[in-house]
Amino acid sequence: MDARSNATFASPAASANYIEALQTDNGLLVQALNGLNGWTAALTLLLVLVAYDQFKYVWNKGTIAGPMFKIPFMGPFLESVNPDMDKYMAKWASGDLSCVSVFHKFVVIASTRDMARKAFNSPAFARPCVVDVAQKLLRPTNWVFLDGKAHIEFRKGLNGLFTKKALEIYLPGQEEVFDKYFQKFIEISKENDMKAKPFMPMFRELNCAISCRTFVGHYMSEAAVKKIADDYYLITSALELVNFPIIIPFTKTWRGKKASDMVLIEFAKCAAKSKVRMRAGGDVTCIMDGWIKSMIESEEYRAKIARGEPAEKPVNLLREFSDYEISQTIFTFLFASQDASSSATTWLFQLMADRPEILARMRQEQLEVRDGDKNAQVTTDMLDKMTYTKACVKEILRYRPPVIMVPYEVKKDFPITDTYTAPKGSMVVPTVYPALHDPEAYPEPETYDPDRWITGDAEKAVKNWLVFGTGVHYCLGQIYAQYNLMALIGKASLHLDWTHEPTELSEKIKIFATIFPQDDCRLVFSKRA
């Protein structure tokens, strides 16, 4: 029995050898673990993360143009702190689709007209996102970030605020702002001994004042308008295409968030005041009034129907939006207009000064539509007759497009082409600059030529005209924006003389959300006799 029992186990010698080997192996393991200190573990983890970061980038990149490898984690972040237009153009020329990866975000750049239109016209796959931090500043419930019925619910009430009839109401208020700032321009030049100085900051302030007057009327004090104009630079800085992805105290995004909080509070106050005034039967004097009046009319219609009384149904039956929802929406109007309008205004004044023959033709047209009275208040009928002034505005929007790219967030895997799919969670950025400088659509695209819109074929290149986007998220204010620029430069041509001091940086492009001359447009203004 003992023999049989012993037969079922290893021999004593074998067991001893096994234990000795085990002890030896454990010794090596213990030595290895003892050698793995905190620094070694951290380095190992870092190398694993770097390898994963590179692998993910290469996998997402696929066959499209872009760097073979990325700088670990941050990618070209430092390069993007001071964006270079020449590098942007080189990127656009590298392929129909190209890519970069910054921090955690993979970005696909759609450079050609057709690729850009594909991105704009694919709401099932992508939605506007501006930049990562935008939802923190504009708020995630903002209408521009909504899809489907929620987005349509807002848009149907807003469309009517930008019709020709509605714009007629806003023109007197805009002219008040023009007059005030034209006088400021003259005084600034006098105080500077009639020497040129950068006017881009003043054009930013001017456009903020125009926007606030148009959007919220006199519900906001001049001091609040000035505060918003001054602080909006912080919001723009926070919303640069490439920025730190989280809000850290005392960074650009933190300061931008503080400024946006202030703007939202001011607009909410305006909404409350407008509701009181509109319920009391006040006249519509601004966009906020028009929207709130439509809400009140919808509310009264529902009340009459509930009582069984006959009632005429409003064109758009709206729900009542809260003061905060109204504030968020008006903020997006300011966001959409402030930098873009400031850019177009800056380039317009610079190019008109540099091309006196064009400015002379504009002045002649302005006098003709006003029947020789330069003090006549502008109307939409007059604006519709300003063929040459409109051509000058459209050409500046083509030649120096205020918005050169529009970031979209990919909601689900997006098959942009038959051979490439942008992954969910990435960004797709349609660019408009190449389409607007396509020599097939616009011969000699680097020449500023308003006549291409009158005697040329520019109007036929509708697919290339992406200044205001296309698709379901096209810019609601495109007519307003052009009318405003026409009214502004038209009136300036009759009441102001100005000269431009060209520098070697005047025609070079600076990118700050939108595009400006690198020398910030050095001008001198005087009153025109």
Side-chain angles (χ1 to χ4, degrees):
M1 182 176 176
D2 290 341
R4 287 194 301 271
S5 299
N6 190 50
T8 62
F9 298 99
S11 68
S15 298
N17 292 337
Y18 175 75
I19 293 170
E20 183 179 350
L22 183 62
Q23 287 174 340
T24 302
D25 289 345
N26 280 340
L28 293 173
L29 181 61
V30 169
Q31 290 177 24
L33 290 174
N34 286 337
L36 188 63
N37 58 32
W39 285 108
T40 307
L43 179 60
T44 302
L45 178 60
L46 178 63
L47 291 174
V48 170
L49 291 175
V50 168
Y52 173 75
D53 188 50
Q54 294 294 337
F55 171 78
K56 186 176 181 183
Y57 166 71
V58 173
W59 179 268
N60 287 337
K61 175 181 177 295
T63 59
I64 65 176
M68 185 173 294
F69 300 104
K70 64 173 285 192
I71 298 173
F73 307 121
M74 69 177 182
F77 171 70
L78 295 178
E79 181 181 308
S80 302
V81 171
N82 293 303
D84 186 313
M85 188 65 178
D86 290 336
K87 291 182 179 179
Y88 271 50
M89 294 179 74
K91 190 71 176 174
W92 299 333
S94 67
D96 293 3
L97 296 174
S98 58
C99 67
V100 294
S101 181
V102 183
F103 292 119
H104 65 297
K105 186 62 67 174
F106 183 74
V107 182
V108 178
I109 301 164
S111 301
T112 64
R113 179 199 70 184
D114 292 339
M115 288 296 97
R117 291 184 67 86
K118 180 73 175 286
F120 279 128
N121 287 304
S122 299
F125 294 98
R127 63 183 173 193
C129 68
V130 190
V131 289
D132 275 358
V133 77
Q135 291 197 18
K136 297 181 179 70
L137 270 62
L138 301 178
R139 305 303 190 268
T141 54
N142 199 302
W143 77 288
V144 295
F145 302 126
L146 302 179
D147 284 325
K149 291 182 179 179
H151 179 81
I152 293 171
E153 187 177 54
F154 275 87
R155 184 172 279 266
K156 71 179 182 181
L158 301 174
N159 284 329
L161 305 178
F162 294 94
T163 62
K164 179 180 174 180
K165 181 179 179 181
L167 294 176
E168 187 85 51
I169 297 171
Y170 317 141
L171 285 173
Q174 291 172 0
E175 290 216 87
E176 288 178 20
V177 178
F178 297 164
D179 292 339
K180 175 183 174 182
Y181 275 85
F182 289 172
Q183 187 58 39
K184 274 191 177 185
F185 295 169
I186 295 168
E187 291 170 359
I188 288 171
S189 294
K190 286 180 179 178
E191 290 169 2
N192 202 45
D193 296 325
M194 301 308 289
K195 296 177 182 177
K197 67 174 296 180
F199 261 82
M200 185 271 277
M202 278 306 301
F203 291 143
R204 287 179 61 87
E205 184 179 321
L206 162 66
N207 277 282
C208 186
I210 293 170
S211 294
C212 288
R213 181 68 180 85
T214 304
F215 301 155
V216 300
H218 289 293
Y219 298 123
M220 183 178 290
S221 68
E222 288 193 12
V225 172
K226 182 68 167 64
K227 174 68 172 170
I228 291 174
D230 291 344
D231 286 4
Y232 202 88
Y233 181 93
L234 301 174
I235 298 173
T236 302
S237 182
L239 290 170
E240 289 173 338
L241 180 61
V242 178
N243 226 325
F244 204 69
I246 58 176
I247 295 179
I248 297 174
F250 306 107
T251 61
K252 285 182 180 181
T253 50
W254 181 81
R255 293 187 179 92
K257 175 66 163 55
K258 301 286 280 186
S260 68
D261 290 345
M262 179 271 294
V263 173
L264 285 168
I265 290 170
E266 288 297 329
F267 282 155
K269 292 177 183 176
C270 293
K273 294 174 184 177
S274 178
K275 284 181 177 180
V276 171
R277 185 168 167 275
M278 288 298 98
R279 288 189 183 280
D283 294 330
V284 172
T285 60
C286 61
I287 284 176
M288 183 178 281
D289 282 347
W291 191 18
I292 289 173
K293 184 176 181 180
S294 295
M295 296 178 208
I296 293 171
E297 289 172 349
S298 296
E299 178 186 324
E300 292 173 346
Y301 168 78
R302 290 190 182 95
K304 288 180 179 179
I305 294 300
R307 294 193 299 266
E309 299 175 6
E312 184 178 350
K313 187 177 180 179
V315 175
N316 290 306
L317 195 60
L318 309 179
R319 68 174 175 86
E320 181 176 357
F321 293 89
S322 69
D323 293 349
Y324 188 65
E325 287 176 313
I326 295 170
S327 174
Q328 285 181 309
T329 304
I330 298 298
F331 190 11
T332 63
F333 294 164
L334 180 63
F335 170 72
S337 64
Q338 171 62 10
D339 293 308
S341 296
S342 299
S343 169
T345 300
T346 303
W347 289 109
L348 258 179
F349 274 91
Q350 176 170 306
L351 267 68
M352 291 301 103
D354 291 345
R355 293 159 175 78
E357 72 285 357
I358 292 178
L359 182 56
R361 284 181 64 183
M362 180 188 291
R363 281 179 171 140
Q364 182 61 36
E365 180 180 72
Q366 291 298 314
L367 284 172
E368 288 173 358
V369 300
R370 288 171 165 83
D371 294 327
D373 180 5
K374 72 174 187 177
N375 295 312
Q377 185 170 315
V378 72
T379 65
T380 52
D381 286 339
M382 287 183 191
L383 289 167
D384 287 340
K385 294 176 183 177
M386 297 178 188
T387 305
Y388 190 71
T389 306
K390 181 178 181 180
C392 290
V393 168
K394 292 198 72 170
E395 181 65 354
I396 205 69
L397 296 175
R398 183 206 66 80
Y399 180 66
R400 291 290 184 261
V403 179
I404 58 176
M405 59 186 76
V406 185
Y408 276 65
E409 178 187 13
V410 177
K411 299 187 293 183
K412 60 182 179 180
D413 289 355
F414 181 7
I416 304 178
T417 69
D418 293 338
T419 59
Y420 183 75
T421 297
K424 178 183 177 181
S426 64
M427 288 173 65
V428 171
V429 183
T431 60
V432 306
Y433 194 95
L436 294 167
H437 286 252
D438 180 354
E440 292 186 11
Y442 308 106
E444 298 183 37
E446 301 308 319
T447 299
Y448 178 79
D449 178 17
D451 281 316
R452 75 171 78 243
W453 298 96
I454 300 172
T455 58
D457 293 330
E459 291 287 1
K460 296 179 181 178
V462 291
K463 288 189 175 182
N464 287 70
W465 182 247
L466 296 175
V467 172
F468 298 100
T470 186
V472 297
H473 289 281
Y474 74 91
C475 177
L476 277 175
Q478 56 182 299
I479 297 175
Y480 159 75
Q482 292 177 78
Y483 271 3
N484 178 56
L485 289 168
M486 290 164 62
L488 172 62
I489 197 66
K491 184 161 190 173
S493 73
L494 296 177
H495 293 270
L496 295 173
D497 284 319
W498 65 96
T499 57
H500 175 231
E501 180 184 88
T503 72
E504 61 181 12
L505 301 178
S506 295
E507 288 297 325
K508 292 185 178 181
I509 293 173
K510 172 176 66 176
I511 302 173
F512 182 63
T514 180
I515 60 176
F516 295 96
Q518 285 189 12
D519 64 1
D520 287 341
C521 189
R522 300 179 62 81
L523 300 173
V524 178
F525 284 91
S526 60
K527 186 174 182 179
R528 184 170 177 80

